[in-house]
Amino acid sequence: MSTPVTTAVPATIRRLLVGRSLSLLGTAMIPTALILAIIEATDSGTAVGVVLACELIPQLLLLPIGGVIADRLRPQRLAFAADVVRGLVQLAIGVELLLGSMQILHLAILSAIAGAAIAIGTPTMSPLVIATVPERDRLRVNGQLGMARGLALVVGPGVVGLLIVTVGAGWLFVVIAAVFFAGGALLGGLRTAARPARSKEATFVRDLVEGWTEVRKRRWFWTNLLGHGVSNLTAGIFMTLGPLIAIRVLGGEISWVIIYQCGMVGMIIGSFLAPRLPIARPLIATSLGGAVFALPLAAFAIPGPVWLNAAAYFVAMLGLGILNTLWQTVMQQQFPPQTLARADSYDALLSFAARPLGLALAAPVAMMTSESTVLIFAAVLVGGFNVALLALPDVRRMPLRSAPEAAAVPVEMPTTAQATDTEKTSPRSSA
């Protein structure tokens, strides 16, 4: 059954969408800005790797902890704090660049602080959605958030390029800081019900164990997490070898720009289509959405003409847009609200870890074998693993509640021993 798309957007949902879009835009601007700032300060490729690693390591270490905290506290407060901290980090980088006193040690420390903020803020998004969006509208809102993510990936690097040549690297980071401050203010101003009192037995360690237990007992969830890890691993391989092949064989940098932008357009369209497609079994669609990432890997292994590679990447990212939207909605329907952030943190953890691994392994393994061998192996791996998920009955049978069905589901009020918002299915007016 196709989900009706409503046109009215309550103020609370609009505030969520704009605030999250600003946060996504700031996030999309940072990698390009950071690389340009490091090159300007040191002209060292090694320094780029060190700084990026300093941001990644805290994310991997702290994401499960961030999930516990997000399930204990009001998500809008954590989202606000995370964006403000990230804004302060960008502001500090901008000030150092403007003063001409940038040092790699300072940049590494600031990046580590930003990584910790990302680990705390990332698990808040699904709890924010269920705390502010009625269940019947969540698929649509998740699709809009997916479109915002795709648009940020398209617009962010372009804005960075424009600002770097007009106002310079220092003011660029000041602008990024302002974007985070604005996004944090909007998210922090969302009104949700207070968390009920927690049981005295609900210790931090117990909550951490409970989150893992919730993940482990759902086979459909942890097997799909492995699929997402494989997809991110092969995406890292593609993002390493794809540009090299495009520049060397397909006509230079412009060919990669065309291919990449086609992929981002595909992601936006996929996020737009997901709420509008008559999808009754969402995990079948997400498995197929992950499997089609084999197409650009195989296309670059040949490699074919630019239009073929662009079309393959477009289809792959179209599938990713559908996958992300449906996956977030299924999680929000199937996990108890008081454990959702912890589940989301494990999803993010595997994704954050797998992509850098693919980035790191692609070039060395290609040198020992060949680029085509690595790409074909990655294509078989991602296609085969995601299609194999369809063998699980849990995956084939998982339903997606449509808007009328969601509206008919009664609201279950949590007890005081549960760590959840008391109002998950009806939004409140924003401040």
Side-chain angles (χ1 to χ4, degrees):
M1 181 183 297
S2 179
T3 302
V5 179
T6 58
T7 56
V9 181
T12 302
I13 297 178
R14 184 164 54 247
R15 188 174 190 131
L16 170 69
L17 291 171
V18 176
R20 182 57 177 160
S21 296
L22 289 171
S23 298
L24 290 167
L25 177 61
T27 300
M29 294 172 71
I30 287 177
T32 304
L34 202 55
I35 291 172
L36 293 174
I38 295 171
I39 292 174
E40 179 179 310
T42 67
D43 196 26
S44 169
T46 302
V48 173
V50 169
V51 171
L52 294 178
C54 286
E55 182 180 81
L56 176 64
I57 291 172
Q59 295 178 43
L60 300 181
L61 294 176
L62 297 178
L63 264 168
I65 295 174
V68 173
I69 296 173
D71 275 333
R72 281 173 160 251
L73 304 178
R74 289 191 182 187
Q76 70 269 34
R77 292 179 178 175
L78 288 177
F80 170 77
D83 275 1
V84 167
V85 169
R86 296 183 73 190
L88 290 173
V89 166
Q90 309 315 311
L91 183 61
I93 295 173
V95 169
E96 287 208 5
L97 286 169
L98 290 172
L99 296 177
S101 57
M102 173 58 64
Q103 298 182 28
I104 291 302
L105 177 60
H106 295 170
L107 202 54
I109 293 172
L110 290 169
S111 294
I113 295 172
I118 293 170
I120 300 301
T122 296
T124 66
M125 290 321 302
S126 278
L128 267 179
V129 170
I130 66 171
T132 57
V133 182
E135 185 174 354
R136 65 179 179 273
D137 294 329
R138 288 175 194 162
L139 179 59
R140 174 177 58 85
V141 171
N142 285 326
Q144 291 170 337
L145 290 171
M147 292 173 63
R149 184 181 297 108
L151 286 170
L153 291 172
V154 172
V155 173
V159 173
V160 169
L162 177 64
L163 293 176
I164 202 77
V165 299
T166 54
V167 299
W171 287 109
L172 165 62
F173 277 92
V174 173
V175 171
I176 297 175
V179 170
F180 277 117
F181 291 149
L186 288 169
L187 294 176
L190 290 168
R191 288 185 179 177
T192 61
R195 298 277 190 177
R198 297 179 58 82
S199 168
K200 294 180 179 179
E201 299 177 355
T203 65
F204 188 91
V205 173
R206 186 175 296 228
D207 283 353
L208 193 63
V209 172
E210 181 189 21
W212 172 246
T213 302
E214 289 291 329
V215 168
R216 185 170 52 84
K217 73 183 184 182
R218 290 172 168 81
R219 185 173 60 172
W220 65 267
F221 184 72
W222 63 260
T223 51
N224 272 273
L225 290 195
L226 294 177
H228 298 169
V230 169
S231 296
N232 278 279
L233 175 71
T234 55
I237 293 172
F238 178 77
M239 294 306 295
T240 300
L241 299 182
L244 297 176
I245 294 172
I247 292 171
R248 189 177 65 245
V249 180
L250 299 178
E253 291 87 346
I254 187 63
S255 63
W256 174 250
V257 171
I258 293 171
I259 293 168
Y260 179 80
Q261 295 298 339
C262 284
M264 295 305 101
V265 171
M267 181 178 178
I268 294 169
I269 294 175
S271 300
F272 174 81
L273 290 177
R276 294 163 171 81
L277 296 174
I279 296 174
R281 296 291 181 263
L283 295 187
I284 294 178
T286 61
S287 297
L288 296 176
V292 294
F293 202 84
L295 295 178
L297 292 163
F300 269 82
I302 302 174
V306 172
W307 68 264
L308 178 62
N309 288 274
Y313 194 44
F314 173 88
V315 173
M317 297 305 286
L318 179 81
L320 180 63
I322 295 173
L323 184 159
N324 285 337
T325 301
L326 293 175
W327 177 252
Q328 290 299 319
T329 306
V330 168
M331 282 185 59
Q332 292 158 13
Q333 290 183 352
Q334 297 298 326
F335 273 90
Q338 66 270 19
T339 64
L340 180 57
R342 279 168 281 178
D344 214 2
S345 71
Y346 285 105
D347 191 6
L349 175 64
L350 198 57
S351 298
F352 286 1
R355 182 174 289 240
L357 182 61
L359 291 168
L361 292 178
V365 176
M367 289 179 63
M368 292 186 292
T369 56
S370 69
E371 292 172 348
S372 295
T373 300
V374 174
L375 289 168
I376 289 296
F377 174 81
V380 172
L381 178 64
V382 71
F385 193 99
N386 281 282
V387 169
L389 291 174
L390 298 177
L392 298 174
D394 310 26
V395 170
R396 296 196 308 272
R397 298 171 186 168
M398 178 69 69
L400 180 68
R401 287 201 294 267
S402 64
E405 292 168 339
V409 174
V411 179
E412 296 184 4
M413 302 301 289
T415 66
T416 57
Q418 292 175 311
T420 180
D421 291 321
T422 60
E423 184 174 296
K424 290 298 186 182
T425 56
S426 58
R428 294 205 173 193
S429 299
S430 59

